[in-house]
Every structure is written in structure tokens, then in C-alpha cells.
Amino acid sequence: MADRETLSGTRLVVLSLPSLAFAGYDLARRVFLAPYLSGELALQMSVVGWLVLLANLAPIPAELLAGSMGDHGSRRFGRRRPWMILGTALVLIGTAALLAQGVAPSVAGVAVALALLVVGWALCNVIHGAWALEAAHDDKARGRIFGTRTLFGIAGGIGFSAIGALRIPAWPSPFLVIMILVALGALVLHAALVALLPDRAAAPDRWRLASLLGPLRLLFANRGNRRLAALFALNGAHAAITTTGYFYVVDNGLGLRGWAPIGILIQAICAAIGILAAIRITARLSARALLRLTLWANLALALALPMLPAGAPAALMLWTIPFGLASAVDFMALRMLLGARLDSVEAPSGKRAAAHYAGFHLPFNLCGAVVSGLLFTGYRILGFDPRAMPAPEQAFAAVLLMPSLAAALITMASLWILADSASEAPAETGPPLAMDPEPATEQM
């Protein structure tokens, strides 16, 4: 399977388009959900913390299910299509249930709606990722695939960030507007993916109940897998801190109310530039080296955060620009390393792309969920309440110093693991995977 066939334009676009909708969902969940719950719905911070924790924990069992069964699917419809359809249906139901909440919402109703929404997206994400993971067999091709997917995601992030930055009074909460558009986009884009992208035949062996733990076992299969899983876990923790806390950093830590949506939009634009540069760099630099450079940049930015002066939007933007440039590159590099791990596996039943994607994203999501809960616990312990509108100096320890130190420690741990595992990197090239029943020339 030649790279030019693997990366043919039409199918690469079809594979990448769903990232537009996922970017909107991810932005809404990570950035706008907590302010929506504490602001528009006027829920207490303790309740908001539990709901954010639920939104991060609920996808984990769904991803395990998708990872264990996503390579089996249906003999008639293929490995991926049935699960993508099921996930999209849950997304639509969860979004509708969330929109149905009134001015006096039920906490239980919000929790159920969020659970349906995030579980649906978890199924879609694993299946979409598995489709992409098995479509390339070397760093250069994989960098183009995941880089293009990331670019589409960033493009979606820019568009959805603009919704928050516009601040049109007649509109409802940015969270609600984004989620309506995301649900409609998912319906259309996932339908195109199911209809136009070739799907592999279901795995030849029968699925068994014990296979539910298959993605989890991959994390402990060997030392290299354990270290890569640790890197995914730490990356999830870092993403949880930097994205969930950004709104509070700007509004409460720096006293720049109204600047957070603008900063998020600038982040998204800079992230697109960073990914374009990363795609070019992968032609000359390995995924491991790319990840190392990004981690050093993250460490410098974490240490610089508490030094930002309050009430200075120019200083915030000078920090936000490099933060955006590096924000998506580390995750792209990790998925390139994951692809190399998949290539190094020889199994009689074929490559387990869904199991690998779900297995290694499990620690990413789990640690993200746990750290999100710890972040809100830290807010409560340090007496931070955004409804009290404290002055910047009153919120410094909670919303600037605590996230900064946590992000710096996480990044240093990632650098140590990466350096310690440098000699264990698997071969980053491998034989192409034949699509069954599609011929090689019909590959994406």
C-alpha cells in the first residue's frame, strides 16, 4: 500500500471531517461546561466538580467496550460502522436531554444527559481513531493522517471558539449553542464516514466476554507499552489542568473578565499553525523527538504562568500564543508512537486497532477525569468561589499557582519517562495492512 494511495485526498478528507464536530464537543466539555454549570445553571461548585468528574469518567467503560468489540462489529456491515451509528445516536439523545433542562434543572437529569452525551462521543472517538490508526504504516504517513485530522479539529475549534468570543446577548450560553451545532454536525459527518470510507471485515475470531479486558491488558503487555501508557496518562492530566482551568485563570486569576473566549480562539488559531509545522517536522524528526521538544515548551509555559501580571491582556496573549502552538502537538506525537506500537504487534487474528486506540486512551481519559476532580477539590480547599468574584490577589494561589505547579510536575515526569524509555522504542515502520475485503488500491 503506497503512501500516495494511503493518503488519497478524498478519503483523507472523509476520515478527517468528523474531527470538526468532535473539536466542538471537546471545547464545550473541557472549557465551557464548568462555567455553564456554575453560571447559567447556578449550581454549587461542589456539584459542578462532581458533574465535571462524571463527564470525564463516564466515557471510560464505553471506550473499553468499543475497544474490545470495535474490531469485531458485524460480518455484514464491517468492524466500525455499527459502533459509529450507535455512538452517534447516543450523542443526539444526550444533547436533546441536556437542552431540555430548564431554569430550575434537576441535578440527576443533568447527570444522565451528560452521561449519555459523553458515552456516545467515547464510542465515536474510539471507532474513528481506529479507522485512522490502521490507515498508515510509517511515521511520515501517520503524521499526515493524524496531522490532517488534528488540523480539521483545530479548524472546528477556531469556529466554535469564535462563538464564545462573539458574546451576542441574544444568544443562549456558548455551551448550548456549540452543542446544538455539534449534534447536527455529528449526524451529517458521521453519516458521510459510514457511507464513504471502506471498512474492514470483522475480526475472524469470536468475541468473548473476557475480551472486555483486552484493551486494558495491552497497557501491561510489556515494559514499552507500560511507559507509553504512562505518557498518555500524564498527557491527559496536563490537558485537564490547562484546559479546565483556563477560564478561571483569565477571569479570576488575572482579573480579565471577558477575555477567556478571545484567548481560546487565539489558542485554536495558533494550534493550527503548530500542527502544520509539526507535519513538516515529522519528515525529518521522529515522533519521540517531537514529543520531547513539546514537553520542554510545556514546562517553560507552566513555570511562566504565575508570573503573568493581573489586568494585563497583552501579557496574557503573549503567553497564550506559544501555549496554543504547543497545545496539540504532544497528543499528535503520542498517537504516532501508538501507531508504531500497533505495527510491532503480530497477531493471527490481525491488527487490533480499536483495542490499541481504546487501551492507550484509557489512562489519558482516566487521569484527566481524576485530575479534573482534584483541581476542583483544590479550588474548594483554597477557598475559591467564582460567584464571589474575588480580586486577582485573592485567587492567586488557587487559580494560578496551584495549576502551574501541577502542570510543571506532570511535564517533568513525562520528560523523565520519555528519556528512560528512549532505548525501548519499537520499530517505527512496518508492513502495510491489507483491507479486507477491499483491495489495496482502494485504501484511503
Side-chain angles (χ1 to χ4, degrees):
M1 178 169 57
D3 287 349
R4 60 182 177 84
E5 294 167 341
T6 304
L7 301 174
S8 63
T10 301
R11 286 178 178 167
L12 182 58
V13 169
V14 170
L15 179 64
S16 302
L17 276 173
S19 297
L20 291 169
F22 187 83
Y25 156 74
D26 202 46
L27 176 71
R29 179 177 66 88
R30 290 180 178 273
V31 178
F32 291 107
L33 174 60
Y36 168 72
L37 296 174
S38 62
E40 281 81 354
L41 298 188
L43 299 177
Q44 296 181 353
M45 285 299 287
S46 58
V47 176
V48 173
W50 282 111
L51 289 174
V52 170
L53 183 63
L54 170 67
N56 286 289
L57 283 177
I60 292 173
E63 290 190 343
L64 282 175
L65 178 66
S68 65
M69 300 186 69
D71 292 311
H72 295 266
S74 163
R75 291 187 178 181
R76 180 178 179 182
F77 297 106
R79 293 188 181 191
R80 317 294 177 205
R81 292 189 179 103
W83 299 106
M84 183 61 74
I85 293 170
L86 174 61
T88 305
L90 291 176
V91 165
L92 297 175
I93 294 170
T95 302
L98 197 58
L99 294 176
Q101 300 297 318
V103 293
S106 161
V107 174
V110 174
V112 171
L114 278 175
L116 290 172
L117 179 66
V118 299
V119 165
W121 274 113
L123 291 174
C124 294
N125 185 40
V126 170
I127 299 307
H128 185 207
W131 243 324
L133 197 61
E134 64 190 5
H137 60 276
D138 58 42
D139 257 4
K140 184 178 179 180
R142 193 169 284 117
R144 289 187 64 188
I145 288 176
F146 282 106
T148 304
R149 284 183 69 212
T150 304
L151 278 176
F152 274 79
I154 292 170
I158 292 172
F160 288 112
S161 298
I163 293 173
L166 287 175
R167 301 173 63 191
I168 298 176
W171 285 7
S173 161
F175 176 80
L176 293 180
V177 176
I178 291 172
M179 289 311 304
I180 292 171
L181 295 176
V182 162
L184 296 175
L187 180 62
V188 175
L189 299 178
H190 292 176
L193 185 71
V194 167
L196 301 177
L197 199 69
D199 194 3
R200 290 175 182 255
D205 56 331
R206 294 181 60 186
W207 183 85
R208 297 175 176 83
L209 186 61
S211 300
L212 279 173
L213 298 179
L216 187 61
R217 293 193 188 99
L218 283 172
L219 305 180
F220 305 97
N222 53 61
R223 191 178 183 185
N225 279 18
R226 290 192 293 271
R227 293 186 181 276
L228 182 58
L231 288 172
F232 268 94
L234 291 168
N235 189 256
H238 183 271
I241 290 174
T242 56
T243 56
T244 303
Y246 185 82
F247 220 101
Y248 297 126
V249 164
V250 177
D251 275 18
N252 304 98
L254 300 177
L256 295 171
R257 292 194 176 274
W259 279 88
I262 298 172
I264 293 166
L265 178 59
I266 290 175
Q267 281 183 40
I269 295 171
C270 292
I273 298 172
I275 287 295
L276 282 171
I279 293 174
R280 298 292 299 272
I281 290 173
T282 54
R284 304 182 302 274
L285 202 65
S286 69
R288 189 172 296 272
L290 180 64
L291 178 60
R292 184 182 300 109
L293 288 175
T294 309
L295 290 174
W296 279 112
N298 287 339
L299 178 59
L301 290 165
L303 296 175
L305 179 60
M307 302 178 189
L308 296 178
L316 171 67
M317 294 305 124
L318 286 176
W319 183 88
T320 297
I321 289 171
F323 177 74
L325 289 172
S327 61
V329 177
D330 49 0
F331 196 46
M332 170 185 164
L334 281 174
R335 287 185 291 182
M336 291 169 65
L337 291 173
L338 175 59
R341 281 281 158 193
L342 177 65
D343 290 343
S344 68
V345 174
E346 295 294 339
S349 58
K351 303 291 185 182
R352 299 293 194 186
H356 276 75
Y357 196 89
F360 283 89
H361 283 68
L362 172 63
F364 176 89
N365 292 321
L366 180 60
C367 283
V370 171
V371 169
S372 293
L374 292 175
L375 181 65
F376 281 91
T377 299
Y379 286 156
R380 293 195 299 273
I381 291 174
L382 295 174
F384 170 60
D385 184 353
R387 296 175 299 174
M389 299 180 66
E393 60 271 14
Q394 295 174 290
F396 174 80
V399 299
L400 287 177
L401 186 60
M402 178 185 67
S404 169
L405 292 177
L409 290 172
I410 289 168
T411 306
M412 287 190 288
S414 299
L415 284 166
W416 178 80
I417 293 173
L418 189 66
D420 193 49
S421 61
S423 61
E424 300 174 359
E428 298 195 8
T429 59
L433 302 179
M435 186 82 83
D436 184 12
E438 300 287 340
T441 54
E442 289 299 315
Q443 297 284 341
M444 217 189 60

